[in-house]
Amino acid sequence: YAAKERSETFAWYSDAQEASRLSHLSLLSDLRSAIQNNELQMWLQPKIRLNDMHCYGFEALVRWQHPKRGFISPIEFVPFAERAGYISHVTNWMLEQAVQTLAQWKNQYPQLSIAVNVSTNDLRDQKLPERVKQLIHQYQISPMNLQLELTESGIMENPDDAIPLLHSLRATGIGLSIDDFGTGHSSLAYLQKLPVSELKIDRSFVIDIDQQESTQKLVKTIVEMGHSLGLHVIAEGIETQAERDTLIKLSCDSMQGYFASKPLHGSTLGDWLTSLPHNQNRQHS
Ligand code: C2E
Ligand code: MG
Ligand code: MG
Ligand code: MG
């Protein structure tokens, strides 16, 4: 800011805006201490294969339990953390939680994977592949059980940095998934160049898909395109049986959404894991 510009900006602030600006300043210092104070949580939402309805893995979703403000949604604080240049701390924290959890599961649930969301800013962080490698080594997990979810728009915002970074990440052996697929602008030709293993169809295409023939055609095309590129195709935000049945009809590989399960944490996650057929087999054999 130039001094003049700043004073004009301040003059223009209404009381409400000023209050909001101050609350954001305190939010940033709060976010800085949130990690140390154990206020962040990793919740896990199951991913379900549609051919046998088995859970093969989870997506990690961050939650912030603020001591005074209560629960703050990632929709609110992730963009804020990005603007404040703080998102890499959140990403690193989530990555370590995910890898730690995979290490705990190694013997009992070796087939389960965890996908961590990374933001646009993380795709500029050239140290990310090295950090992933280091965590895999430190916790002795198989890289195949770890995945990163990145958005099309995040890649397209800065492809010159992002695409080499994706190649370095893929070289560590982890999976890469394109999140919110269909909402960005990447072409088929572009997609073919990206070293990704999964397409995640955005929830906006799934809502009422059973009643929308035009959306069904669109999703069928996305699934076929994904398969022709050798990618696993998952749809997010499935809330009803009718939506699920339609996705099966369209040959989609997997689903995620409230119909199968909301994100889980603590004892509900424990219960979910114990109910997995794989675990039952182990107990009975
Ligand atoms: P996303 O990665 O596309 O995650 C899906 C969001 O949809 C999650 O919201 C999830 O709880 C919600 N969801 C799942 N199934 C359903 C459903 O059936 N119906 C509806 N209505 N919603 C469903 P959440 O956890 O609030 O996260 C919102 C967004 O915040 C995420 O979108 C992601 O972009 C971002 N985010 C969450 N955790 C992280 C994180 O650890 N790091 C980063 N960088 N971003 C994160
Ligand atoms: Mg995601
Ligand atoms: Mg998504
Ligand atoms: Mg989405």
Side-chain angles (χ1 to χ4, degrees):
Y1 280 98
K4 179 169 168 280
E5 210 182 318
R6 193 192 297 149
S7 65
E8 275 171 3
T9 313
F10 274 170
W12 191 73
Y13 269 140
S14 69
D15 284 355
Q17 282 170 321
E18 179 66 7
S20 142
R21 191 183 67 84
L22 290 175
S23 88
H24 273 87
L25 280 177
S26 76
L27 199 61
L28 178 58
S29 73
D30 288 358
L31 186 58
R32 291 214 166 99
S33 53
I35 293 180
Q36 286 156 312
N37 298 344
N38 275 320
E39 291 162 21
L40 296 189
Q41 296 174 347
M42 178 183 72
W43 286 59
L44 296 174
Q45 187 177 32
K47 293 178 164 183
I48 311 291
R49 241 186 345 246
L50 286 166
N51 63 1
D52 57 9
M53 294 302 152
H54 279 181
C55 169
Y56 65 93
F58 296 84
E59 174 179 10
L61 295 159
V62 70
R63 301 284 180 263
W64 184 6
Q65 204 60 56
H66 190 286
K68 292 205 194 79
R69 297 175 193 232
F71 172 79
I72 306 178
S73 160
I75 297 172
E76 217 179 317
F77 80 85
V78 164
F80 171 75
E82 281 173 350
R83 284 197 303 275
Y86 198 72
I87 193 68
S88 66
H89 298 272
V90 176
T91 306
N92 289 341
W93 186 83
M94 287 293 280
L95 262 176
E96 182 146 18
Q97 295 295 308
V99 171
Q100 252 172 30
T101 305
L102 287 171
Q104 283 163 16
W105 288 351
K106 202 160 51 175
N107 294 321
Q108 207 173 357
Y109 310 107
Q111 79 283 17
L112 294 179
S113 64
I114 299 182
V116 174
N117 288 285
V118 301
S119 83
T120 306
N121 293 8
D122 294 316
L123 295 178
R124 298 173 198 275
D125 179 2
Q126 300 298 329
K127 294 199 195 89
L128 187 61
E130 200 46 53
R131 214 173 295 121
V132 166
K133 234 196 269 182
Q134 191 261 326
L135 284 171
I136 289 169
H137 181 77
Q138 184 185 343
Y139 289 93
Q140 292 291 301
I141 62 146
S142 162
M144 279 159 56
N145 290 343
L146 183 66
Q147 208 178 22
L148 296 184
E149 292 189 6
L150 17 107
T151 60
E152 252 180 305
S153 49
I155 300 166
M156 302 314 271
E157 200 168 288
N158 179 22
D160 293 346
D161 281 337
I163 294 176
L165 190 80
L166 296 189
H167 282 279
S168 312
L169 285 168
R170 195 77 168 108
T172 67
I174 66 168
L176 298 179
S177 174
I178 307 266
D179 204 352
D180 303 339
F181 186 76
T183 58
H185 304 283
S186 59
S187 67
L188 181 61
Y190 219 94
L191 192 64
Q192 198 177 9
K193 287 195 203 141
L194 299 178
V196 298
S197 41
E198 182 182 271
L199 280 191
K200 202 162 184 188
I201 300 175
D202 191 67
R203 187 171 101 80
S204 57
F205 297 102
V206 166
I207 300 168
D208 296 333
I209 192 173
D210 49 299
Q211 294 154 45
Q212 310 278 342
E213 227 172 287
S214 57
T215 319
Q216 287 177 28
K217 282 189 188 142
L218 195 66
V219 168
K220 188 164 187 274
T221 306
I222 295 177
V223 171
E224 282 168 358
M225 178 195 79
H227 285 168
S228 74
L229 295 173
L231 305 177
H232 182 95
V233 183
I234 180 168
E236 67 176 14
I238 282 73
E239 294 187 354
T240 68
Q241 183 160 349
E243 288 169 354
R244 183 204 64 182
D245 292 345
T246 308
L247 283 155
I248 293 176
K249 198 180 75 185
L250 301 176
S251 305
C252 190
D253 300 307
S254 301
M255 69 161 172
Q256 200 183 11
Y258 297 166
F259 177 66
S261 170
K262 290 202 165 178
L264 306 168
H265 183 68
S267 60
T268 44
L269 175 64
D271 291 346
W272 175 273
L273 288 169
T274 345
S275 74
L276 290 178
H278 168 79
N279 192 50
Q280 283 158 21
N281 293 343
R282 284 180 76 95
Q283 281 170 356
H284 292 225
S285 61

